C-alpha cells in the first residue's frame, strides 16, 4: 500500500538522523512535512524574543532543505488535537510519523493525537532520536525507576551499549517517487510567520549571535571538531563563566530544537577521540551529553519534576514570596555587577555559560534572595535559547540544593566568584557599560568606591546604578541556617530513591518496568553538570581531634582533604582538582 503521510516536525527540526522522517518515506506516495504552531504554549510558558527568532530561523532552514528535495514545510496554527483531524480528512492521510518526546506535556498531547489518528484509521510511527538512548529503556533497566546519580546512569548505559549511530538525511533518490502537493497559495496558507506577527516587541531584538537552523548547527559542529586538541582536552569546569566570547561549544540550543542530532554530536566526538588521549565523563564533552541524558531520564521518571510540591525527591523549602526581589534579579537590578551582567547577557543574547547560570541560580535561591527555584526556572525557560524543560528543572533543583546536590553550605559569592576568571571586570564592563569607567578595584563592588571615584566614573551608586539589595555576607549565613532547618524536616528516606514510573502514560504500549529498590544516593551524589564545584562526591565523616593531613584514594577517583592547624570533628572530602 502506498501511503499519504504527514511527518510531524516538533523538536527534531532537521533532516539528518531523523529516523521518523525516513520511516515516513517508506512505501509513500505523498508526504506533508508539518510544523504545528500551537498558540497555547506548553504549560503556558512565556517565550522570549530570542527563542522566537531562533525557531523562525530553524523553520526557514528546514523549509529550504525540503525544497531541495522538491518538498515544502507546512506551518499550521492551532492545537495539534484540533488541527490533525482536519488534515487527516483534507489530505486523506494514512500515516503519521514523529520523533518521540518524553516531556509530560508532550506525552499527554501525543496520547490524544494517537487516539484521534486511530479513530481516523491513520497508522502511527514514532522513533527515538532526540536523546542518545531510549529513556524508557534506561528506566526499565533500573527496575522502573529513574537513576538519581550520574554514576548509576553511566552503569546503566554501559550495560545497554553505545548509542545508535546517526542515519543520513534523505536524498533526492529517496524522494524520487514521493510527491508533496503544493498550491500557489502555499505561502499564504502554510508559510512561516514573521517575528513581528509572533512577538509584539520585536524592536528589542539585538544582534543574533546564534542563528537557528540545521545548516548552522552542522557548520558549528564541524568547526569545533576541527579543533581536535581542544575537543580532547575539554573539561567543563575549566571553562570561564565570564569570558567575552563563549568558552564552550554553544551547541545546546541546536540540540534543544533538534537542529543538531545528539547522536551525530556523540559520534563526531568519538571519531575525534579515536586513538588520542582525551578527557573523560563527567567533565568531557561526552560527559556533557550524558548529563543531558541524566536529566531527561529524571524528567520522565520523577512525577512533577518541574515543581517542588508533589515532587517526591525534592526537599520542601519554605521559600519567600518577594516580587520586588524577583523582578530586580530578572531585570539585572540587584546591585551586584557580576549577577546583573549575567542576567543582561541572558536577556540580550539568550545564552550564558553554565557556571554563570550556577551563580545567578544560587543567588536567587538559597544564596541570597531565598526565592523559589520554580520562579527562576520560569525566567530561564522564557529567555534561554536552550531552555530545555528537563535540564532546566533539574539544574534549578540542583543549584537550590533541593535535589541531587545537598551541600547547601557551599554558596557562590556574587563578588569573589567572578574575580577568579576576570579580575579586571571586562565582562561586567561589556554588559553594564555604565560601569565601564570603574577601576578594577571597585568593579565588583562599586558601592565601596569613594564618591570621587563614582563621580569620575560617571555612575553614582544609588542613582545611576542600584545599591545591593541584600548584604551577601549576612544573608547567606542566615540562609544556610534556613536550609539546615528545611533539611532537618526531611524524612530520613525522602530522596533515597526515585518513584516507580506509572504505567499507561505512553502511547502505543511502551514497555514500563516494575518497581524495586533503587541505588541509595545519600552518600554517592551525582555531580552537577560541569560545575566548578562539581564532585561533592563522597562525604567522609572522620572523627579526630588533632592536626593532620588526609589523603584518600577511592577507586578511580583521586580524592583529597587537607586539614591544617585546627581541630575538626568531620571532614568533607572533595574530588581532586575541584577546590
Amino acid at each position: 500500500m502506498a501511503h499519504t503521510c504527514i511527518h510531524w516536525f516538533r523538536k527534531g527540526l532537521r533532516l539528518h538522523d531523523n529516523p521518523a522522517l525516513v520511516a515516513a518515506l517508506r512505501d509513500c506516495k505523498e508526504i506533508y512535512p508539518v510544523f504545528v504552531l500551537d498558540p497555547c504554549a506548553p504549560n503556558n510558558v512565556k517565550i522570549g524574543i530570542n527563542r522566537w527568532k531562533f525557531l523562525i530561523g530553524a523553520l526557514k532552514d528546514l523549509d529550504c532543505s525540503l525544497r531541495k528535495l522538491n518538498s515544502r514545510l507546512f506551518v499550521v496554527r492551532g492545537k495539534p488535537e484540533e488541527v490533525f483531524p482536519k488534515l487527516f480528512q483534507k489530505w486523506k492521510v494514512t500515516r503519521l510519523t514523529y520523533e518521540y518526546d518524553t516531556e509530560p506535556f508532550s506525552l499527554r498531547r501525543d496520547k490524544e493525537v494517537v487516539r484521534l489518528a486511530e479513530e481516523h484509521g491513520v497508522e502511527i510511527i514514532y522513533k527515538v532520536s532526540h536523546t542518545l538512548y531510549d529513556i524508557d529503556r534506561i528506566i526499565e533497566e533500573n527496575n522502573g525507576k529513574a537513576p538519581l546519580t550520574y554514576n548509576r546512569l553511566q552503569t546503566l548505559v554501559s550495560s545497554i551499549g553505545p548509542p545508535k549511530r546517526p542515519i543520513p538525511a534523505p536524498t533526492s533518490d529517496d524522494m524520487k517517487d514521493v510527491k508533496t502537493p503544493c498550491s500557489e497559495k502555499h505561502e499564504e496558507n502554510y508559510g512561516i510567520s514573521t517575528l513581528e506577527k509572533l512577538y509584539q516587541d520585536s524592536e528589542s531584538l539585538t544582534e543574533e549571535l546564534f542563528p537557528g537552523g540545521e545548516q548552522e548547527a552542522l557548520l558549528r559542529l564541524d568547526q569545533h571538531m576541527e579543533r581536535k586538541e581542544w575537543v580532547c582536552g575539554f573539561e567543563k569546569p575549566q571553562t570561564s563563566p565570564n569570558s567575552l566570547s563563549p568558552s564552550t561549544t554553544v551547541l545546546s540550543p541546536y540540540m534543544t530544537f533538534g537542529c543538531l542530532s545528539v547522536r551525530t554530536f556523540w559520534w563526531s566526538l568519538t571519531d575525534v577521540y579515536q586513538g588520542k588521549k582525551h578527557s573523560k565523563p563527567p567533565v568531557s564533552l561526552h560527559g556533557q551529553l550524558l548529563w543531558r541524558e541524566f536529566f531527561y531520564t529524571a524528567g520522565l521518571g520523577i512525577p512533577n519534576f518541574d515543581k517542588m510540591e508533589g515532587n517526591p525527591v525534592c526537599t520542601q523549602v519554605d521559600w519567600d514570596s518577594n516580587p520586588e526581589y524577583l523582578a530586580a534579579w530578572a531585570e539585572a537590578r540587584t546591585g551586584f555587577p557580576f549577577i546583573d551582567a549575567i542576567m543582561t547577557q541572558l536577556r540580550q543574547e539568550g545564552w550564558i555559560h553554565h557556571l554563570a547560570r550556577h551563580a545567578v541560580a544560587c543567588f536567587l535561591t538559597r544564596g541570597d534572595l531565598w526565592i523559589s527555584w520554580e520562579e527562576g526556572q520560569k525566567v530561564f525557560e522564557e529567555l534561554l535559547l536552550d531552555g530545555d524543560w528537563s535540564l532546566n528543572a533539574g539544574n534549578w533543583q540542583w543549584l537550590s540544593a533541593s535535589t541531587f546536590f545537598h551541600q547547601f553550605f557551599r554558596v557562590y559569592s556574587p563578588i569573589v566568584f567572578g574575580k577568579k576568571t576576570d579580575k579586571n571586570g571586562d565582562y561586567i564592563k561589556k554588559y553594564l557599560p555604565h560601569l565601564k569607567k570603574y577601576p578594577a578595584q571597585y568593579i565588583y563592588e562599586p558601592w565601596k568606591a569613594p564618591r570621587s571615584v563614582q563621580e569620575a566614573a560617571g555612575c553614582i551608586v544609588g542613582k545611576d546604578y542600584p545599591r545591593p539589595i541584600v548584604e551577601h555576607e549576612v544573608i547567606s549565613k542566615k540562609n544556610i541556617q534556613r536550609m539546615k532547618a528545611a533539611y532537618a524536616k526531611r524524612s530520613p528516606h525522602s530522596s533515597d530513591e526515585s518513584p516507580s514510573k506509572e504505567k499507561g502514560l505512553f502511547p502505543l504500549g511502551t514497555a514500563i518496568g516494575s518497581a524495586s529498590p533503587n541505588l541509595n544516593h545519600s552518600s554517592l551524589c551525582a555531580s552537577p553538570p560541569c560545575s566548578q564545584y562539581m564532585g561533592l562526591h563522597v562525604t567522609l565523616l572522620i572523627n579526630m581531634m588533632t592536626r593532620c593531613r588526609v589523603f584518600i584514594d577511592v577507586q578511580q577517583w583521586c580524592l583529597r582533604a587537607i586539614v591544617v592547624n585546627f581541630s575538626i570533628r568531620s571532614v568533607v572530602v572533595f574530588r581532586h582538582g575541584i577546590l
Side-chain angles (χ1 to χ4, degrees), residues 243-405:
S243 56
L244 297 185
S245 58
S247 57
T248 56
T249 67
V250 197
L251 289 174
S252 52
Y254 298 93
M255 288 188 290
T256 296
F257 282 84
C259 302
L260 175 64
S261 158
V262 64
R263 299 189 300 205
T264 296
F265 192 2
W266 176 277
W267 285 102
S268 296
L269 290 169
T270 301
D271 291 342
V272 173
Y273 289 158
Q274 192 67 37
K276 302 181 185 68
K277 182 180 178 181
H278 59 86
S279 55
K280 304 288 185 181
V283 298
S284 65
L285 285 169
H286 264 176
Q288 307 318 301
L289 298 182
L290 288 177
W291 274 118
R292 181 177 184 267
E293 214 76 0
F294 174 79
F295 284 119
Y296 262 97
T297 306
L300 176 60
I302 299 173
N304 301 307
F305 188 58
D306 62 339
K307 300 177 179 63
M308 180 180 75
E309 292 186 8
N311 182 337
V313 300
C314 184
T315 301
Q316 303 298 296
V317 179
D318 187 18
W319 302 107
D320 290 341
S321 176
N322 193 322
E324 292 183 5
Y325 276 9
L326 177 61
W329 174 82
E331 297 167 9
R333 296 186 286 103
T334 69
F336 290 91
F338 181 55
I339 299 299
D340 292 342
I342 293 170
M343 296 305 292
T344 300
Q345 182 189 13
L346 172 60
R347 190 168 292 275
Q348 289 180 358
E349 301 175 5
W351 181 88
I352 49 177
H353 188 276
H354 83 282
L355 288 179
R357 303 180 196 204
H358 287 192
V360 296
C362 183
F363 184 88
L364 179 70
T365 57
R366 62 186 173 86
D368 294 81
L369 303 187
W370 200 254
I371 292 175
S372 171
W373 58 267
E374 292 182 51
E375 298 300 328
Q377 176 184 236
K378 294 174 187 176
V379 174
F380 271 27
E381 197 159 33
E382 174 190 353
L383 300 179
L384 278 173
L385 292 174
D386 57 1
D388 194 301
W389 183 85
S390 297
L391 276 70
N392 194 28
N395 276 286
W396 272 100
Q397 289 174 75
W398 197 303
L399 268 299
S400 63
S402 297
T403 314
F404 306 119
F405 173 79

